[in-house]
Amino acid sequence: MLPFLSSLLVAQATSSLTFRELPPQFIAEPQQVRTLPGKLNDVLVFNSNSPEVVQTEGVLLSTFPPNGKQVPSAHLNKPMEGRFDIFTHHISRPNQPRTLYQGILVHNPTSQTVIVRVLQGASYLTSPDAPFVQLPPVVEDPSGRIFSGPGSRLMGDILRGFNDPQLARRITIPPGQSRMLFSLPISPSNARSTFMRVYSDGPVYVANLAMYEVPDQLSEDTEVITYRSPHLNEWRYLMTKGNLIFPRDLAPTPPNAIRPEEKTIYGRVAGISVGSEWEATVSDGPGKPYLSIPERGKAFSYPLSTVTTGTHGTQQVQSAPMLVRYPDTAYQAHGNYGVHYSLTLPLSNKTNERQTVAVALQTPFKQDQYADRLIFTHRPQGQIFFRGTVRVAYKEQDGTTQARYFHLVQRQGQQGEPLMRFNLAPGESREVEVDFIYPPDATPPQVLTVRTLELFYGDSR
């Protein structure tokens, strides 16, 4: 079933029917949905995902000034400095067999040398680096060998602190000059996902460009054409003379034109978004350093990566705002690709009985009306809505911290299996950390659910 059609059916059913009257394919779980504490930080993200499919050469995203450029509208005129992230995800589907190169050009407009340091980064192709493979809904992955697709592998490796050796650790840019942060191939019908955390000690302009491999000079005694990757001057020429890459993606629905009963086009992102991390301690409220577990048999949830029409009744939109963007691209960084969610849950058993508490990530049907229920389906089918790695860390009784990594695959309407299960004695507390980097090739929102089980289990896992 198509995602929009499924959501439409859910909206129609829940708008007029009670829990017991839902069509049999749906499950209505009566659990409280709470606003997620915290907020996005103010770290800028060079965010390039539109157009996703690249069929020509040109400019994907440029923060260069428009003066002196052949196509001024291709440049957003916003320097970046200090800590910022770079996220790009693009697919090459050219009308010719040549390899497409993606290049990040960085320019120093100042009279002083600027050093750009890559604090962490990785870049993967779908083939051969991270092909899409079928995986179970939950696989524990202590060594980082479980992934499906470049977005899944990329964010899992970044979460673990991995640094890709094919990326430079630092580049030095003399006054008024440009350097390539990277120039990497995307073979035909392939995709590349890249994420970098960088620090620049001075203002720089950044451009994400696409160019086909360049023919070498033919010698007089051969008719064989060989190709090479583009040189710096060729990248600079493309940045100065190039246009935005066409065809473009679908333009987004303006915020003032969004209607719940109509399909909303969010659009893909091309610009600078604001916010690289959502860090929060999830507690009972301000001044309360604990999170009381639910009553036995009950649960509560916190939405993750919410969008305008999918807040689960909380009215909290977590999508990162755009500082600058192209007019035909997303108004917000919907999906928060590359945003690190770092959540601490100081679980506390305030009851007089031993309880077993489970923590899970779930993908209910998107809705914006109810904060007292989540809608699932008995047999999730169709498009995968989440494919990525989640880290769960907790303290043992002896004070040592254990960290476990799980790779999840969830479809729309999937309840999700518990990631961890804890036994808590009366009055006992346990701090649990849940963090993940929202992966490309995922569709928001998800929820983080805490449930106290009906039965007490004799062991924890």
Side-chain angles (χ1 to χ4, degrees), residues 93-116:
R93 288 185 186 151
N95 53 16
Q96 55 181 298
R98 280 193 291 162
T99 295
L100 184 75
Y101 275 79
Q102 178 193 349
I104 298 287
L105 180 71
V106 185
H107 178 71
N108 172 12
T110 75
S111 59
Q112 305 292 324
T113 296
V114 169
I115 297 176
V116 178

Side-chain angles (χ1 to χ4, degrees), residues 300-368:
F300 50 72
S301 300
Y302 298 89
L304 305 169
S305 196
T306 52
V307 295
T308 307
T309 61
T311 70
H312 291 289
T314 65
Q315 307 306 310
Q316 180 190 45
V317 177
Q318 297 171 15
S319 301
M322 300 300 297
L323 188 63
V324 292
R325 50 176 281 274
Y326 295 114
D328 63 348
T329 62
Y331 288 91
Q332 294 176 295
H334 302 292
N336 281 349
Y337 294 158
V339 168
H340 183 188
Y341 279 84
S342 180
L343 309 175
T344 300
L345 284 66
L347 299 174
S348 181
N349 181 5
K350 300 292 186 180
T351 74
N352 296 320
E353 298 180 310
R354 292 177 63 83
Q355 307 286 1
T356 299
V357 182
V359 177
L361 192 81
Q362 300 180 294
T363 303
F365 284 95
K366 183 175 70 174
Q367 57 89 16
D368 202 34

Side-chain angles (χ1 to χ4, degrees), residues 282-295:
V282 183
S283 70
D284 282 359
K288 297 181 179 179
Y290 53 83
L291 179 62
S292 300
I293 63 174
E295 296 178 20

Side-chain angles (χ1 to χ4, degrees), residues 24 339 374 414:
V339 168
L374 294 174
Q414 189 156 347

Side-chain angles (χ1 to χ4, degrees), residues 163-447:
N163 258 321
D164 193 334
Q166 70 178 321
L167 299 176
R169 298 274 69 84
R170 59 180 275 171
I171 57 172
T172 301
I173 312 175
Q177 295 192 30
S178 303
R179 293 291 184 268
M180 298 304 297
L181 190 58
F182 68 76
S183 175
L184 296 171
I186 311 177
S187 53
S189 299
N190 214 337
R192 179 177 288 280
S193 295
T194 304
F195 183 85
M196 306 175 80
R197 291 171 172 156
V198 303
Y199 181 88
S200 175
D201 64 7
V204 293
Y205 293 107
V206 184
N208 185 25
L209 308 167
M211 187 189 309
Y212 293 117
E213 56 185 354
V214 179
D216 266 341
Q217 185 73 30
L218 281 175
S219 62
E220 296 181 357
D221 58 349
T222 182
E223 294 183 356
V224 177
I225 301 177
T226 58
Y227 294 90
R228 59 170 174 81
S229 60
H231 294 160
L232 173 61
N233 285 339
E234 291 161 336
W235 285 117
R236 292 176 59 190
Y237 182 85
L238 179 63
M239 186 276 299
T240 303
K241 301 295 184 181
N243 196 356
L244 286 174
I245 285 177
F246 286 84
R248 308 293 290 167
D249 286 326
L250 291 174
T253 304
N256 60 3
I258 292 176
R259 302 289 183 269
E261 69 277 5
E262 298 176 0
K263 183 176 182 179
T264 298
I265 298 174
Y266 288 100
R268 291 192 175 273
V269 179
I272 297 176
S273 55
V274 184
S276 68
E277 183 175 25
W278 189 298
E279 183 177 6
T281 296
V282 183
S283 70
D284 282 359
K288 297 181 179 179
Y290 53 83
L291 179 62
S292 300
I293 63 174
E295 296 178 20
R296 181 168 289 192
K298 295 187 177 181
F300 50 72
S301 300
Y302 298 89
L304 305 169
S305 196
T306 52
V307 295
T308 307
T309 61
T311 70
H312 291 289
T314 65
Q315 307 306 310
Q316 180 190 45
V317 177
Q318 297 171 15
S319 301
M322 300 300 297
L323 188 63
V324 292
R325 50 176 281 274
Y326 295 114
D328 63 348
T329 62
Y331 288 91
Q332 294 176 295
H334 302 292
N336 281 349
Y337 294 158
V339 168
H340 183 188
Y341 279 84
S342 180
L343 309 175
T344 300
L345 284 66
L347 299 174
S348 181
N349 181 5
K350 300 292 186 180
T351 74
N352 296 320
E353 298 180 310
R354 292 177 63 83
Q355 307 286 1
T356 299
V357 182
V359 177
L361 192 81
Q362 300 180 294
T363 303
F365 284 95
K366 183 175 70 174
Q367 57 89 16
D368 202 34
Q369 189 173 2
Y370 300 106
D372 62 351
R373 71 196 73 175
L374 294 174
I375 310 298
F376 300 96
T377 184
H378 290 282
R379 296 181 180 178
Q381 298 177 356
Q383 178 185 341
I384 291 173
F385 270 49
F386 188 89
R387 184 191 280 115
T389 297
V390 177
R391 173 183 176 270
V392 181
Y394 56 94
K395 287 186 178 180
E396 297 281 20
Q397 298 291 348
D398 60 4
T400 60
T401 299
Q402 298 289 333
R404 298 170 68 179
Y405 293 84
F406 301 89
H407 187 275
L408 307 184
V409 176
Q410 292 189 1
R411 301 178 188 275
Q412 186 182 40
Q414 189 156 347
Q415 289 185 285
E417 302 174 23
L419 300 178
M420 300 296 296
R421 197 173 63 206
F422 304 96
N423 291 329
L424 295 178
E428 183 181 359
S429 297
R430 173 154 325 176
E431 186 172 276
V432 179
E433 297 175 0
V434 178
D435 64 321
F436 65 96
I437 303 175
Y438 201 87
D441 191 43
T443 302
Q446 279 70 41
V447 298

